[in-house]
Amino acid sequence: STADQKGPLDDIDMVSTQAAFVLEEAPFVEQISSKQEMSQAIPFMERPSVLNGDLAGDFGFDPLKLAKNKEALWSYREAEVKHARLAMLAAAGWPLSELWDRNIAEYFGIETTLDDADRVPFFFNVEGLQKISPEFWGFCLGLTAAIDTYGFRRARSEIPGYIPGDLGWDPLGLYPVDLESRKRMQLQEILHGRTAMLAVTGYASQEAISNVGVVDETPLFFFPITETAEQVLQDVADTL
């Protein structure tokens, strides 16, 4: 019968109807897919689309949505890596200077930069900051400016495989060759750096509040256990 016969126009209408149905359903499917991708750091929040896991240490944490695009994300990562590396140096150098500065200063016959409470020079120990030689400050500023300028130029040189913070500096050849090991080392660096940033903030806060050097406030972490245990026992004995 003529009712059972289908022409080319009928096939086109059917394809058009199916395409329209797919187009109508696509936003819904995409919405469901995006809702399933949640932040690893904040499980009840959606993971920002720009945080796709390409960078080591990406746990989908950007509650303020500061990284609007890849360029902004890489700029923030450059800053994070720089602060992380400085913080790791400071996290080690801060207590070491409180432990050794007096002995080193005495050996060279110069004045120690620690105050009477064994605190290092920082914003809450202005007197100690004033003891630092201006030439030393100038050297530090010049060195950091040179390194920062080099990193800035390298970041914009379109080097294949470049990642934020890559200065191409590996004199001991420790950077792995395979991609998986590189990712693991990058993750270790950024996690240690984030921990160090928290540690340095804790150092400064503790010394500002207690007015005591961090090594004296928490000697258990910086002195041999025999010395700290003896002091604790002595304090207990004095209270009895």
Side-chain angles (χ1 to χ4, degrees):
S1 60
T2 57
D4 296 333
Q5 295 178 353
K6 295 183 179 179
L9 295 178
D10 294 328
D11 294 335
I12 293 176
D13 290 340
M14 182 177 297
V15 172
S16 301
T17 302
Q18 293 175 346
F21 177 76
V22 171
L23 288 175
E24 289 179 358
E25 290 296 321
F28 179 71
V29 174
E30 183 180 354
Q31 184 178 6
I32 293 177
S33 177
S34 64
K35 284 186 176 180
Q36 291 176 344
E37 187 68 23
M38 306 301 288
S39 168
Q40 185 177 353
I42 311 177
F44 57 84
M45 295 185 65
E46 293 184 20
R47 185 186 189 97
S49 59
V50 70
L51 299 180
N52 56 11
D54 286 345
L55 296 176
D58 178 5
F59 300 108
F61 181 80
D62 186 15
L64 300 181
K65 301 187 184 303
L66 298 176
K68 304 296 184 182
N69 48 50
K70 181 179 178 180
E71 289 73 20
L73 174 64
W74 279 45
S75 178
Y76 283 125
R77 173 48 68 94
E78 289 276 4
E80 182 184 27
V81 171
K82 292 175 185 177
H83 284 81
R85 290 169 177 169
L86 286 174
M88 285 188 283
L89 291 173
W94 190 309
L96 288 178
S97 63
E98 292 186 347
L99 288 172
W100 298 341
D101 184 82
R102 293 189 187 279
N103 294 334
I104 294 175
E106 182 179 355
Y107 179 82
F108 288 101
I110 58 178
E111 185 180 10
T112 180
T113 58
L114 301 181
D115 63 6
D116 295 336
D118 292 335
R119 298 186 305 172
V120 298
F122 71 117
F123 294 117
F124 298 101
N125 180 13
V126 180
E127 182 180 351
L129 287 175
Q130 295 174 346
K131 297 178 183 178
I132 305 298
S133 170
E135 289 79 6
F136 177 78
W137 287 123
F139 170 77
C140 291
L141 290 175
L143 179 62
T144 53
I147 295 174
D148 203 44
T149 301
Y150 172 75
F152 182 83
R153 295 177 59 183
R154 184 177 172 84
R156 283 152 181 78
S157 58
E158 298 183 358
I159 298 175
Y162 177 82
I163 60 171
D166 179 9
L167 298 177
W169 191 75
D170 184 24
L172 299 180
L174 299 178
Y175 198 49
V177 178
D178 61 290
L179 183 60
E180 183 178 353
S181 298
R182 287 187 174 187
K183 280 281 189 180
R184 183 164 56 249
M185 181 171 286
Q186 294 165 15
L187 178 62
Q188 291 171 346
E189 180 186 34
I190 199 63
L191 292 182
H192 283 82
R194 290 169 180 172
T195 304
M197 286 188 279
L198 293 174
V200 172
T201 303
Y203 291 169
S205 301
Q206 179 175 325
E207 294 197 359
I209 295 172
S210 66
N211 292 320
V212 177
V214 65
V215 296
D216 295 333
E217 184 74 14
T218 54
L220 184 63
F221 298 117
F222 305 106
F223 293 97
I225 187 64
T226 53
E227 295 182 14
T228 55
E230 182 180 356
Q231 183 61 44
V232 170
L233 293 175
Q234 184 62 44
D235 293 340
V236 172
D238 292 340
T239 59
L240 296 179

